[in-house]
Amino acid sequence: MNIPFLGHRHGKSGAAEIPADAEGIAALLSECELLRSQAAQAGVRLDDSPASLEALDQLVPRWRDDAETLPWLGNDAGLYLGTVVVRTVPGAAWRIRAGGEPVVRLASGREVEVVASGREWAASGVPELSQLYAEVAEA
């Protein structure tokens, strides 16, 4: 996922630094419109909590039959996972890599490729979003 309007401010690691309006960027990344729509249709409320990840894991994956929807939903699932991590795990923050890929950087310095994980979840259901969250929150 390339987000070109975020700029090209690259640090020593090759990752773009989040601009001063980090809250605005976090809000943009948390939109996840397709995922939120699919969840609402299934009666699942996405409130940016770890419990909502468990609810997503229980959804019947009807999107797997739609090759056009699958990658978009996977991106949204990854961004939603990242949103929950950033909002609930102390020290976690969004970081944009040189190629434009948003990742979550933990207080330990570890970077979590949430979008790739979301794509895997959308395609196969494994690993579960709630399981990924538990692993990241524990680290």
Side-chain angles (χ1 to χ4, degrees), residues 66-129:
D66 186 346
E68 193 172 308
T69 300
L70 183 64
W72 290 103
L73 193 79
N75 280 334
D76 276 9
L79 293 174
Y80 184 72
L81 170 63
T83 295
V84 174
V85 171
V86 167
R87 292 189 176 165
T88 62
V89 175
W94 285 109
R95 186 162 175 88
I96 307 299
R97 288 192 173 158
E101 177 188 10
V103 296
V104 173
R105 185 178 178 126
L106 303 177
S108 67
R110 176 180 162 212
E111 290 186 350
V112 182
E113 296 179 358
V114 291
V115 173
S117 296
R119 288 183 191 139
E120 290 175 29
W121 173 83
S124 68
V126 177
E128 292 182 339
L129 297 174

